[in-house]
Amino acid sequence: MLLSSLLEDLQYTCLNGSTDAEIKGVAYDSRDVEPGSLFVCIRGTVKDGNTFAGEALKRGAAALVSEEFLPVPEEIPLIRVENARKALARISAAWFGYPARKLILVGVTGTKGKTTTAWMVRAILEQGGYKTGLLGTVSCITGKREFHSENTTPESWMIHQCFAEMAEAGMRCAVMEVSSQALKQYRVEGISFDYGIFTNIEADHIGPGEHRDFQEYLECKKKLLAQCRVGIVNRDDPHFQEITEGRNCVLETFGFSEKADLRAEHLKLISAPGRLGISFQTRGLLELTAELEMPGRFSVYNALGAMAAARHLGVTKSAMRQALKKVRVRGRAELLTLPSGAALVIDYAHNAMSLKNILTALREYRPKRLICLFGCGGNRDRNRRFEMGEVSGNCADLTVITSDNPRDEEPQAIIEDIKGGIRKTRGACVEIASRREAVAWAVHQGEPGDIIVLAGKGHEDYQIIRGKKYPMDERIMIREILEEDRMRAPEQ
């Protein structure tokens, strides 16, 4: 492909060489450069791609895109752009033949609920006869492959590669989680979403390498509403007015409020051995009765957002009901039943807001005891530890403090911070630094009627300690613990 064709959707200046150069690939990591590649010099939070321009040329790069002047041989095209990340997104779209234009796109953003809402949208559309791809935290599904992305929203080059695979596989729709970092770093630059779902917002992802304050976080999230045709927003969110201010899309709302265009009412908890669910009725834009095999009002919010989007594609009420009844999301209020009769819930809750939501929701099922096991990530904002400790101390009968991903910090130091939050409450706690030992202890504590929450890891199948990833899947861990119990039983 000619360089000029890749640049057709960009404003740029050619400082060197010619745009008639033939390009055989696109790369933004110098290690991926092959002879004939176009290398885009993007600035990351840790490394600056401009410092790897020389390495890219040694590997055979045929052209460079940068925000600054770089010394290059006179025959090598040097394309100067205002923003290299924006350029990468538009170049990637061109390289893959603008695949986003061949799909009906649904984007989902918000502090919590993105993953579950995206899976619900996909489940409903698939039930309604639409082959649908998915890009998100738990999994990326393109019709050609299924894989786990390192980020909630992949880098722009991978997004368009996945869109191309979806279109090739005959998919009509694509659902993707759109993180605040993806919006901040222009990973979805140039993409027009047909429907944008905004689940909610609360202070999170604020700190070094993320967002400087809540206002920046909010402004980044709001960008989705500037890139979609129809914006579907939680009417009950305290920041609703700020979220929708300055929007240029058609607005629809969902929630429990009478002001919501699609609202839920008559909620009824469903509780039985192996089941924690909820049923509800909808009014407004859509009227039906639905049932979820997952707990809590927050699950109903997620379902409303998904239903609001699917409604536009003519999915029948029957298909919606069937899809919502059977949808399950790995690591999101994922329910297991222990031999003791206790219910065990694996959930990704890794901040105070999400932890409070899951614990409050489960408390409504009137468990004999609500036991919460969690830790906090190292190399992250310490305030999160105090806040989560305080939430668990207030909401759970017993807190088991353990490790999450300690990264470069000492697990015990993180535990002490969490305890600082719990000390503000009357909540009881125990501390067990080893997550496996902590999970085993909690499992063995379980009695009929108890609900045990393993919070923080969710879908993750690893633990990061001192910069190294170690395999750790809580589902496998629990199976091993129960098998060890079974093997020991005859000896007792």
Side-chain angles (χ1 to χ4, degrees), residues 276-475:
L276 290 174
I278 192 166
S279 67
F280 61 97
Q281 295 177 8
T282 64
R283 294 288 183 266
L285 295 175
L286 189 67
E287 299 196 357
L288 59 81
T289 299
E291 190 174 303
L292 302 172
E293 291 294 316
M294 52 184 70
R297 289 170 66 91
F298 63 89
S299 296
V300 177
Y301 275 116
N302 296 334
L304 289 173
M307 294 161 73
R311 182 185 72 87
H312 286 274
L313 279 73
V315 178
T316 65
K317 294 179 183 180
S318 174
M320 288 189 187
R321 277 193 292 265
Q322 290 179 60
L324 292 174
K325 172 74 174 173
K326 66 185 180 182
V327 68
R328 306 286 189 280
V329 186
R330 180 179 170 88
R332 301 307 191 272
E334 184 179 351
L335 179 65
L336 304 175
T337 302
L338 299 177
S340 64
L344 188 144
V345 176
I346 298 175
D347 194 80
Y348 189 50
H350 60 288
N351 59 36
M353 180 185 185
S354 53
L355 187 63
K356 184 176 182 179
N357 280 335
I358 186 67
L359 294 179
T360 301
L362 294 173
R363 177 63 73 187
E364 292 183 348
Y365 289 84
R366 300 184 181 279
K368 179 180 177 182
R369 290 183 302 169
L370 182 57
I371 300 172
C372 178
L373 180 151
F374 79 98
C376 288
N379 300 11
R380 296 292 186 269
D381 183 7
R382 287 181 67 199
N383 287 326
R384 179 178 291 190
R385 305 167 190 178
F386 304 122
E387 292 167 355
M388 290 182 71
E390 187 171 358
V391 164
S392 188
N394 282 324
C395 298
D397 296 303
L398 175 65
T399 299
V400 184
I401 313 171
T402 187
S403 293
D404 191 279
N405 292 322
R407 298 184 175 87
D408 297 322
E409 291 193 59
E410 288 298 326
Q412 191 60 42
I414 299 173
I415 287 172
E416 292 302 321
D417 285 343
I418 296 171
K419 285 165 64 179
I422 290 181
R423 278 194 289 268
K424 295 180 181 180
T425 75
R426 296 181 179 180
C429 70
V430 297
E431 57 178 277
I432 305 173
S434 162
R435 191 158 186 121
R436 192 185 195 286
E437 291 177 14
V439 170
W441 188 88
V443 166
H444 293 145
Q445 290 296 307
E447 299 175 358
D450 288 347
I451 298 179
I452 302 168
V453 182
L454 307 187
K457 299 301 291 177
H459 63 282
E460 293 180 352
D461 57 3
Y462 60 85
Q463 191 172 32
I464 304 174
I465 303 172
R466 298 293 177 191
K468 185 175 179 181
K469 274 188 176 182
Y470 295 88
M472 194 196 74
D473 186 320
E474 289 183 327
R475 296 151 203 79

Side-chain angles (χ1 to χ4, degrees), residues 204-221:
D204 195 21
H205 299 293
I206 296 168
E210 294 190 277
H211 300 283
R212 66 174 177 268
D213 53 30
F214 176 75
Q215 193 58 41
E216 184 193 276
Y217 178 54
L218 172 63
E219 291 303 319
C220 287
K221 288 285 192 188

Side-chain angles (χ1 to χ4, degrees), residues 39-190:
F39 180 61
V40 184
C41 305
I42 61 173
R43 289 191 175 94
T45 54
V46 179
K47 297 180 180 179
D48 182 351
N50 290 287
T51 63
F52 296 93
E55 178 65 26
L57 291 173
K58 286 179 185 178
R59 288 175 174 269
L64 300 178
V65 172
S66 176
E67 296 170 12
E68 57 190 65
F69 176 80
L70 298 171
V72 296
E74 61 181 22
E75 72 275 9
I76 298 293
L78 174 61
I79 307 301
R80 188 171 186 175
V81 295
E82 183 180 340
N83 187 302
R85 283 192 171 274
K86 286 185 179 181
L88 176 62
R90 293 182 179 273
I91 287 168
S92 299
W95 177 258
F96 288 104
Y98 300 98
R101 298 175 184 176
K102 304 170 187 176
L103 300 164
I104 299 169
L105 298 183
V106 182
V108 186
T109 198
T111 302
K112 59 180 176 56
K114 293 187 298 297
T115 300
T116 302
T117 302
W119 278 83
M120 285 178 168
V121 173
R122 181 174 186 268
I124 293 171
L125 294 182
E126 289 266 329
Q127 190 71 45
Y130 291 89
K131 287 185 67 177
T132 304
L134 177 72
L135 295 180
T137 306
V138 173
S139 189
C140 296
I141 303 169
T142 70
K144 178 180 179 181
R145 56 184 172 142
E146 182 170 348
F147 66 97
H148 174 66
S149 170
E150 289 297 315
N151 301 310
T152 296
T153 310
E155 189 53 79
S156 56
W157 191 90
M158 184 178 289
I159 289 173
H160 290 284
Q161 181 187 43
C162 289
F163 283 166
E165 291 176 9
M166 291 175 192
E168 248 180 71
M171 291 184 168
R172 295 179 61 190
C173 305
V175 186
M176 67 181 294
E177 297 177 49
V178 186
S179 68
S180 59
Q181 282 294 304
L183 290 159
K184 180 179 180 178
Q185 296 176 356
Y186 303 102
R187 294 181 208 160
V188 292
E189 169 72 16

